[in-house]
Amino acid sequence: MELEAMTSRETWPDETEEATTESPPKSRCDKIHETISNWILPENHRDTYLARANCLPPPIFIISVSIAELAVFIYYAVWMPQKQWITLDSGVWNSPFIYRADKREEAWRFISYMMVHAGVQHIIGNLALQLFLGIPLELVHKGHRIGLVYVAGVIGGSLASSVFDPRLALVGASGGVYALIGGYFMNILVNFKDMTPLFGIFRILVIVIIVGTDVGFALYRRYISHETVEKVSFVAHFAGGLAGMSIGYTVFSCFDKNLIKDPRFWICIAAYFAFVIFCCSV
């Protein structure tokens, strides 16, 4: 009888075996991607993303751009003669990077102006926004897509400024930053039903508050402030945002698809090039 009892016990499911069938604990990388997917993607795309998500490559593009912008700012603030850091003076306005209407034939300035910032508040605001939003976006969509949207916003910002506010210089990465914000904002609106309602509303409110505050300060410095410092164009904010709401939305909405096979992408590219041709011909 004792032998039968022992053999019958051997057939019982082993607790250790049950434990081994449980899913392994999530790594730190998995937890990061799960949090990011909740912020960036609609619910019906999260499982697809998490199945192939990894931490390699890291967000090289947005980090590299941020380091370069910070390095240029430190150069002009420290190694060039400046009276103070809050608003940089002649060292910036004579920079070969800055966009100026009288130097329009120097085509690189339409992109290089993003490397130069007018003061501490300017660069901190841009770096904070592009790192906070750009890193999660690049982990999901990878650097080549984020770079496409960012550069489209930068070029669109300088071209629009050259047409609609040609008398003022242009500095800062706001065109690229607003392109990322515009693309993210459009994805929230289009996929709002697939998000937790309060969570979606919260994200929209955060974007509206940040953009409203930043644009408000830009308008104040442009039209109301009587400070003696150089005025800077704010048109790049709007142009970058529009680039993000068109090209950025298309790029961000098909993270798991071949972008060049999406007709929406080519429509946006065609419209963007028409805008470029128009600005160059004016």
Side-chain angles (χ1 to χ4, degrees):
M1 294 293 294
E2 290 181 0
L3 181 61
E4 291 179 0
M6 291 176 62
T7 55
S8 62
R9 287 177 185 175
E10 290 177 357
T11 62
W12 293 353
D14 193 346
E15 293 181 358
T16 59
E17 292 180 358
E18 288 184 357
T20 58
T21 60
E22 294 180 358
S23 57
K26 295 180 180 179
S27 65
R28 181 175 299 179
C29 182
D30 292 335
K31 293 179 180 178
I32 290 173
H33 282 288
E34 186 172 351
T35 302
I36 288 173
S37 67
N38 291 333
W39 275 94
I40 302 299
L41 296 171
E43 186 175 1
N44 57 337
H45 287 161
R46 291 171 193 165
D47 291 339
T48 304
Y49 167 69
L50 292 174
R52 65 181 181 87
N54 57 71
C55 290
L56 294 174
I60 296 174
F61 173 80
I62 203 69
I63 291 177
S64 300
V65 167
S66 300
I67 292 174
E69 292 168 359
L70 182 61
V72 171
F73 176 80
I74 292 175
Y75 170 77
Y76 281 108
V78 177
W79 281 276
M80 296 291 288
Q82 302 291 330
K83 296 178 181 178
Q84 38 107 9
W85 281 44
I86 302 302
T87 303
L88 304 186
D89 46 36
S90 59
V92 166
W93 307 117
N94 295 324
S95 169
F97 296 136
I98 189 175
Y99 173 78
R100 288 167 41 180
D102 60 334
K103 300 287 186 179
R104 190 176 180 181
E105 68 279 1
E106 298 175 352
W108 71 83
R109 292 177 181 262
F110 284 92
I111 299 178
S112 63
Y113 78 94
M114 75 179 191
M115 306 299 295
V116 185
H117 289 77
V120 172
Q121 295 176 344
H122 193 199
I123 190 169
I124 288 178
N126 278 344
L127 288 182
L129 284 173
Q130 72 184 26
L131 288 173
F132 179 74
L133 183 58
I135 288 177
L137 283 172
E138 187 169 346
L139 285 172
V140 173
H141 301 287
K142 303 307 177 184
H144 62 289
R145 294 192 176 194
I146 297 299
L148 172 64
V149 176
Y150 192 91
V151 174
V154 169
I155 297 176
S158 57
L159 288 172
S161 181
S162 71
V163 173
F164 299 105
D165 208 357
R167 298 182 180 180
L168 295 185
L170 185 63
V171 295
S174 295
V177 173
Y178 272 70
L180 298 181
I181 294 175
Y184 180 58
F185 180 72
M186 283 298 294
N187 272 277
I188 294 175
L189 290 181
V190 173
N191 300 303
F192 188 81
K193 293 182 180 179
D194 296 326
M195 300 178 180
T196 304
L198 290 178
F199 194 31
I201 293 173
F202 171 75
R203 281 186 278 190
I204 291 175
L205 287 176
V206 169
I207 292 174
V208 170
I209 291 172
I210 291 174
V211 171
T213 302
D214 188 49
V215 172
F217 276 118
L219 292 172
Y220 171 79
R221 291 191 299 266
R222 174 68 172 85
Y223 294 109
I224 300 176
S225 176
H226 299 291
E227 297 177 1
T228 58
V229 298
E230 292 277 355
K231 301 290 185 180
V232 178
S233 176
F234 65 90
V235 177
H237 295 70
F238 296 104
L242 290 175
M245 294 173 73
S246 54
I247 295 178
Y249 163 68
T250 304
V251 171
F252 297 160
S253 64
C254 55
F255 82 100
D256 58 342
K257 301 176 182 177
N258 191 337
L259 189 61
I260 62 175
K261 294 182 179 180
D262 191 334
R264 298 175 303 167
F265 174 72
W266 294 110
I267 293 173
C268 290
I269 291 295
Y272 185 84
F273 274 104
F275 164 76
V276 171
I277 294 171
F278 166 77
C279 292
C280 292
S281 62
V282 174

